[in-house]
Amino acid sequence: MASPDAEAPPPTEPERWRDLDILLSRPGNLVHATFQPSPGLRDDIGSFVEVLVVGAGGLGCELLKDLALSGFKNLHVIDMDTIDVSNLNRQFLFRVQDVGKPKAEVAAKRVMERVSGVNIVPHFCRIEDKELEFYNQFQIIVLGLDSIEARSYINSVACGFLEYDSDDKPIPKTAKPMVDGGTEGFKGHARVIMPGTTPCFECNIWLFPPQVKFPLCTLAETPRTAAHCIEYAHLIKWDEVHTGKPFDADNAEHMQWIYSEALQRAELFGISGVTYSLTQGVVKNIIPAIASTNAIISAACALEALKLVSGCSKSVLNYLTYNGLVGTHIKVTEFVRDTDCLVCGPGTLIELDTSSTLSEFIKMLEKHPKLLMSKASVTHEGNNLYMQSPEVLEQMTRQNLSIPMFELLKGASFVTVHVSGMAESNGNKVSSLRKLRVLFKGVEEASKMDTTESS
Amino acid sequence: MAAAAVAVAEPKTKYDRQLRIWGDQGQAALEKASICLLNSGPTGTEALKNLVLGGIGSVTVVDGSKVEPSDLGNNFLCNSRVNKECLGQSRAQSVCSFLQELNDAVKVKYVEESPGTMIDTNPSFFSQFTVVIATQLPESSLLKLDGICRAADIVLVAARSYGLTGLVRVSVKEHCVIESKPDHFLDDLRLHNPWTELKQFAKSIDICDKDPVVHKHTPYIVILVRLAEKWADAHDGKLPSTRQEKREFKDLIRAHMLNVDEENYKEAVESSYKVSVTPGISTEIRQIIDDSSSEVNLSSSDFWVLVAALKEFIANEGNGDLPLEGTIPDMTSQTEYYVSLQKIYQAKAETDCLAMEHRVKNILKRIGRHPDSISRAYIKTFCKNARKLRVCRYRSMEEEFNAPVISEVQKYFADEDSCFAMNFYILLRAVDRLAANYSRLPGIFDSEIDEDVPRLKVAAVSVLSDMGLNGTSLSEDLVTEVCRFAGAEIHPVAAFIGGVASQEVIKLVTKQFVPLMGTFIFNGIDLKSQVLAL
Ligand SMILES: [Zn+2]
């Protein structure tokens, strides 16, 4: 390290941020209604805004850089993955020496090394491991993910903070905006989700159709393609041969075994095209990814984040798609909210008897047709009523199970609670979080009578 | 030794996610390419960063400036562990040290020279490159550079970020694409015109077999070939063409089902339109084979030699059709039937390819080239993609600026979606004109913004009138916005523009996919960006 006092003084912040300040300090005609241009706006963003970046992969690395150079100074990044060699063609903050290290930690460190004044807190864990309140500290959540399940989870967390008034109108100050990006090869999307105003991820879930799976009978009886042979080895043959030993896609020996089995089967049926690379692609469901598309989509997301906090220009309404296969094709579509959305709406209504216990309530969630949620944990205004895990919390909250919900919720007639557990989605069990509005039968009438009397 | 082994990334593994898109051939083309970047501001460096990560052959940065405080606020590549260390250093050098860190397989060089001077004094410098990426250059320099690159047949990609707008423009005389890899393309099944072997195979299968297992595993290609024949027999040899006939044809298919849940019959109904496709050549391909470049001579490119052969093939062996692609989609079927069908399609494709090869050799002999000078692999790829060929030709910047196609420009102004982009296009040119007069961009000084708005408007009107568009009015809001921007290079905008530029370079170098046809105008206000072909 060079000794600081021997050097020329570092540039002043206004000199350094000349270009950004032009945008933030000057009035304009095509800006957001809330825009208050001022030379201090960048400082305010730096001091008062905390942003969470979900994912430190292809999009996440770009997002951290873009946000750090857009005036944001307090960033957090969460990612459970470690760095793999195949990340290096696009995740520009990682080097070959970093392989095996946590993505979030390396990415945060690299950006902080290069952009002075920015603080990035890494979280090397699963998104489900964080308490809901963790997510509430951020003004914006930016998603750089490649999985539908993870998007869906964060979306439900962010939408869970949205409160509705007594007329079922969303309360704007409780809305937690999200900016979501995604890429696949030369294509990508960027969108702004303002819960309660624009459609949430779940409102337009049909934009992300589930992956088509091969019927098992095709794999077992009438294989025709290389992928059929690979999936046969992966989904049927592995378990037949390795009873009780789970298949691990990250284990090179396991992958090699699938490959040679698939090759044998392909030869048997006269099918061509089984390669090691295809085997990996099919088994791990690899999505092709390149640096340029990630850069384009992340840049759009970061720009939208800057607009959301500063108002320095209009926001995208509300879904951008980029397609680089033929030319550079950009389309912006204004999707509409699903007013019956289970996630960003006021919450699923559940009617309970005042005598129903917490344990009965949890059982009821398993059978509720809109929820089908098993192993639910229940919270109310940040308080844990019952937690399935960790064990300490389970023990602490276990005694609540036999207590009536009405009592636990302190005799309120109409209450919002959050439940999280496993729910069915496209035939898979996935982590799910739902907002419920609990109405106690018979109580509402009483309280209504009370109001009538008092008025 | 063990430690050293850890620090080496196998290219196959490192590039796995992109090899799945452009393959070994595309990667080899990238690794052979040399890229020149003019100006290493964030727009340019972000473009280079993406290319270096992907393993481009070499990059050369031309920039004569020193790192200034403002670079530290918008250029990630200029920053270093201790920011101030970079200040005053050559910007090109500082950027290159980061680029090299990203990928040691790439040759990274820099020249400390202003791009303007390089263009003016050393035009032959550019002839060594595959692609020149020119960023943040004014119109006058760009015009000269375009002339230089065209004369040397070098691809030019111009990119500019300007506040919340910007543009990317590709310029090259001609770019021919064999592997355009479109997202959705009709399978080449020839159900409307099956050849002998396919007809014979279809006949060998009894589509009325009462064994339910056999019946529900008959591939839809066989069902459609047989039923199309049956239909034609009952309709004077014609295939279903009207909407009513197509509906009746579907009913005919359904009438052959044994059970309602037979997947292969459902697929046959869904694919029944493939029987009625218009036979012959699409207008796009017709245009290519009718192009004057298909009259080949010694200086013709391999692509055009192949097009010349293709023209002959269609008139002879092809009987009005292109060479068969030779692949079939997956469909419900017994393995045996499916594999047999695959072989029948492959065999026909090989026969077609052989005929093409023969014609290519004759043409090469005729124009005085060695008959084996075009590889069999190239011919095969060409035949496989014959329906998807693309020829992209770009007007020179000189033509664009001096001989605008008024009708096109007026069309853009009249269209709600592209009007915004057209406004930005005119204003970005007006900015350069104003800068030429005042030696500064409009809006640079807070105190002069109010005066600069009418000045910019005057400059924009002069651009419009030079184009022959007197009386076209611009959006007042956008004039004011462009003055507000004052040429600021905002990092996320630069990263977007640089990202688009690098994407286009990848397509131009790999000769896969279809590059941007014209000028991409970024609209950072509501993101509704457009491409203008000017
Ligand atoms: Zn919703």
Side-chain angles (χ1 to χ4, degrees), chain A residues 1-5 7-12 15-20 22-31 35 62 65-66 69-70 84-93 95-97 110-111 113-116 185-187 214 221-225 228 269-272 276-278 280-282 284 286-293 295-297 299-300 302-304 306-307 312-317 320 322-330 332, chain B residues 6-10 13-18 20-22 46 49-50 53-54 68-85 87 98 101-102 163-164 180-183 217 330-335 338-339 342-343 346 390 420 443-446 449 476-478 480-481 483-493 495-496 499-500 502-504 506-507 512-517 520 522 524-531:
Chain A
M1 284 287 230
S3 117
D5 29 44
E7 306 275 333
T12 64
E15 276 181 291
R16 182 176 167 211
W17 298 104
R18 184 194 69 196
D19 290 59
L20 180 62
I22 284 175
L23 200 64
L24 297 180
S25 63
R26 294 175 163 189
N29 295 346
L30 301 167
V31 296
F35 182 44
E62 288 283 334
K65 168 200 64 130
D66 293 344
L69 291 177
S70 299
D84 181 78
V85 178
S86 66
N87 301 145
L88 302 178
N89 80 322
R90 60 196 187 283
Q91 301 177 12
F92 75 102
L93 296 172
R95 308 284 170 263
V96 71
Q97 301 86 326
R110 289 279 145 75
V111 174
E113 277 170 4
R114 292 206 151 244
V115 184
S116 68
F186 279 26
K187 296 196 274 188
F214 303 123
E221 286 153 26
T222 55
R224 297 175 297 272
T225 65
H228 292 157
F269 283 93
I271 296 166
S272 58
Y276 188 72
S277 167
L278 183 71
Q280 284 181 308
V282 170
K284 294 173 141 183
I286 292 176
I287 300 163
I290 51 175
S292 34
T293 313
I296 293 166
I297 293 301
L303 184 60
E304 287 307 313
L306 176 63
K307 292 188 205 169
C312 70
S313 196
K314 292 177 179 176
S315 288
V316 65
L317 276 178
L320 169 143
Y322 160 78
N323 186 342
L325 289 173
V326 177
T328 299
H329 191 252
I330 296 227
V332 176
Chain B
V6 170
V8 173
E10 200 60 48
T13 322
K14 179 163 118 181
Y15 298 135
D16 178 83
R17 298 303 184 266
Q18 66 198 46
R20 290 173 192 278
I21 301 177
W22 51 67
E46 288 296 320
K49 176 195 103 226
N50 301 333
L53 285 165
E68 287 179 29
S70 61
D71 289 311
L72 305 181
N74 70 3
N75 196 336
F76 193 77
L77 279 74
C78 279
N79 284 275
S80 88
R81 258 153 239 274
V82 183
N83 284 330
K84 54 196 173 181
E85 271 182 12
L87 278 176
F98 183 80
E101 208 184 288
L102 286 180
L164 289 175
S180 64
K181 300 188 173 178
D183 223 356
H217 285 102
D330 185 27
M331 63 191 71
T332 303
S333 166
Q334 297 187 6
T335 305
Y338 184 79
V339 171
Q342 262 184 331
K343 285 188 180 145
Q346 267 164 19
R390 293 292 282 258
F420 222 73
I444 283 284
F445 302 112
D446 286 324
I449 293 185
E476 296 283 332
D477 284 343
L478 290 182
T480 317
E481 276 293 291
C483 263
R484 174 189 175 213
F485 297 159
E489 235 178 314
I490 316 285
H491 183 80
V493 174
F496 192 104
V500 170
S502 57
Q503 191 84 290
E504 296 310 314
I506 288 169
K507 291 188 277 182
Q512 294 181 21
F513 305 96
V514 183
L516 166 64
M517 289 299 298
F520 169 76
F522 178 64
I525 296 170
D526 56 15
L527 301 190
K528 290 180 183 167
S529 309
Q530 292 282 325
V531 174

Side-chain angles (χ1 to χ4, degrees), chain B residues 411-450:
Chain B
K411 204 182 73 195
Y412 287 133
F413 266 116
D415 179 76
E416 200 190 326
D417 290 331
S418 35
C419 178
F420 222 73
M422 203 58 221
N423 269 270
F424 272 137
Y425 171 81
I426 299 290
L427 287 166
L428 286 174
R429 291 187 57 192
V431 155
D432 284 343
R433 216 167 265 210
L434 190 147
N437 287 336
Y438 292 82
S439 305
R440 60 166 177 82
L441 294 170
I444 283 284
F445 302 112
D446 286 324
S447 55
E448 284 191 59
I449 293 185
D450 291 345

